């Protein structure tokens, strides 16, 4: 099969842009996290009711990703990665402007729905990296992508919190500016990564969630890896869903302690993804690195849930960050199972399946937290959510033991999915 010209200097120069564009996208997403709840509360006029609307906003965002991801993935296989990435950046910029000037709750919800669609193109960025890197180097580059996510999630909420003190709509304007700046920068810098001979016609068979699931099921290992990603995303949802409430209840933490803890988590994760992943994968291979990362995740969540005090909880943060070895390794293994013509479809299908966790996991962990912190149970049961996340991740670990290792360079080339 033909490969994208990953040795080309022009394509190598474009890889940093992909990292920057992902980081800026995540910063933009993070900017609105501290102010969206208060903006919803202003429109609703009641704090209790605003909690319901905030949950609805989150679920609808995930639902849009569920439907849009396979469509965007298939479009990137047909027309190339460049137009999808650029249109996404432009669409995000316009969408943030819409939310900044939204006159009512309905307009704000419409903006959030559009945001779910345009943000789904992050999967195209992963496909871009697959196009321009050799299979044996992908885990390292996917690790750098994970580091970009970590940096974005640290900077975004911190900056959003500062700007929100002046005006709750100001972070939306700044997010719009970052996205539009990203669009104009990419317009002049970003080359196309998918060679014309590696493109394939758009097919509705894979451009919807059911078709995406069928695409993943064409290869047993591919489906196993997708299910691992699902368990990872589901388990990770416990952190944004319950961490703030858990920390306040168990450790009496406020916004200051939570903010610095999240910043520490982001820094530790970025270090692991940027500097350790590539070295570990080169030493032991993608499969073993994946299993090692999942093992640390299982231990880390157990530590979070059973920590007797905040000092013990903090000790588990750097250990938990080694969970970051798993994600890039899973991505690298998945890309080795499909042809260059199917990388966009793969990433879209993968994100569509993962987005189901964003829809259902908050409800599951929210319910478990409510039950485990009820007045008739000891305070120690408040960590039940993290224990459940550990169990879910353990399922992913067990599935991972059945996945075949990637074929190394110098042996047989990766094959397309069996039909």
């Amino acid at each position: 099969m033909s490969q994208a010209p990953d040795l080309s200097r022009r394509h190598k120069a474009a890889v940093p842009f992909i990292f920057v564009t992902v980081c800026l996208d995540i910063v933009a997403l993070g900017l609105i996290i501290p102010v969206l709840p208060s903006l919803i509360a202003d429109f609703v006029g009641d704090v209790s009711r605003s909690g319901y609307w905030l949950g609805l906003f989150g679920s609808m965002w995930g639902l849009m990703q569920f439907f849009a991801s396979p469509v965007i993935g298939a479009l990137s296989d047909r027309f190339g990665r460049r137009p999808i990435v650029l249109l996404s950046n432009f669409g995000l910029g316009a969408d943030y402007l819409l939310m900044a000037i939204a006159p009512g709750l309905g307009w704000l919800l419409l903006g959030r729905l559009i945001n779910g669609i345009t943000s789904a193109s992050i999967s195209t960025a992963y496909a871009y990296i697959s196009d321009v890197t050799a299979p044996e180097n992908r885990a390292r580059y996917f690790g750098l992508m994970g580091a970009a996510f970590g940096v974005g999630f640290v900077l975004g909420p911190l900056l959003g919190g500062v700007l929100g003190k002046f005006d709750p709509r100001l972070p939306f304007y700044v997010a719009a500016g970052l996205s539009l700046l990203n669009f104009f920068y990419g317009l002049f810098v970003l080359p196309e990564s998918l060679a014309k001979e590696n493109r394939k016609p758009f097919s509705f068979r894979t451009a919807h969630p059911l078709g995406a699931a069928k695409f993943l099921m064409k290869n047993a290992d591919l489906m196993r890896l997708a299910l691992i990603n699902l368990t990872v995303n589901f388990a990770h949802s416990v952190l944004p869903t319950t961490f703030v409430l858990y920390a306040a209840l168990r450790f009496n933490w406020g916004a200051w302690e939570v903010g610095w803890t999240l910043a520490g988590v982001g820094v530790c994760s970025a270090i692991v993804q940027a500097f350790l992943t590539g070295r570990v994968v080169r030493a032991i291979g993608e499969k073993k690195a994946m299993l090692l990362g999942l093992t640390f995740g299982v231990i880390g969540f157990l530590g979070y849930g059973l920590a007797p005090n905040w000092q013990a909880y903090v000790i588990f943060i750097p250990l938990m960050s080694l969970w970051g070895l798993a994600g890039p390794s899973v991505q690298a293994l998945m890309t080795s199972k499909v042809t260059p013509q199917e990388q966009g479809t793969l990433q879209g299908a993968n994100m569509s399946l993962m987005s189901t966790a964003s829809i259902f996991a908050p409800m599951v962990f929210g319910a478990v937290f409510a039950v485990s912190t009820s007045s008739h149970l000891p305070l120690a049961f408040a960590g039940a959510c993290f224990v459940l996340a550990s169990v879910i991740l353990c399922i992913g670990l067990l599935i991972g033991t059945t996945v075949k290792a990637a074929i190394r360079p110098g042996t047989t080339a990766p094959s397309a999915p069996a039909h």
Side-chain angles (χ1 to χ4, degrees), residues 211-245:
K214 288 181 178 178
F215 172 83
L216 294 172
M217 288 189 290
K218 290 192 296 184
N219 181 293
D221 265 354
L222 199 60
M223 192 62 202
R224 293 187 187 105
L225 291 164
L227 289 175
I228 293 170
N229 265 339
L230 177 61
T231 63
V232 166
N233 206 39
F234 201 104
H236 182 269
S237 295
V238 70
L239 294 170
T241 302
T242 67
F243 169 68
V244 174
L245 298 174

Side-chain angles (χ1 to χ4, degrees), residues 1 79 86 107 119 197 209 253 298 332 340 374 403:
M1 65 179 68
F79 298 105
L86 293 180
W107 284 100
S119 298
E197 62 269 21
W253 280 1
V298 170
S374 61
V403 173

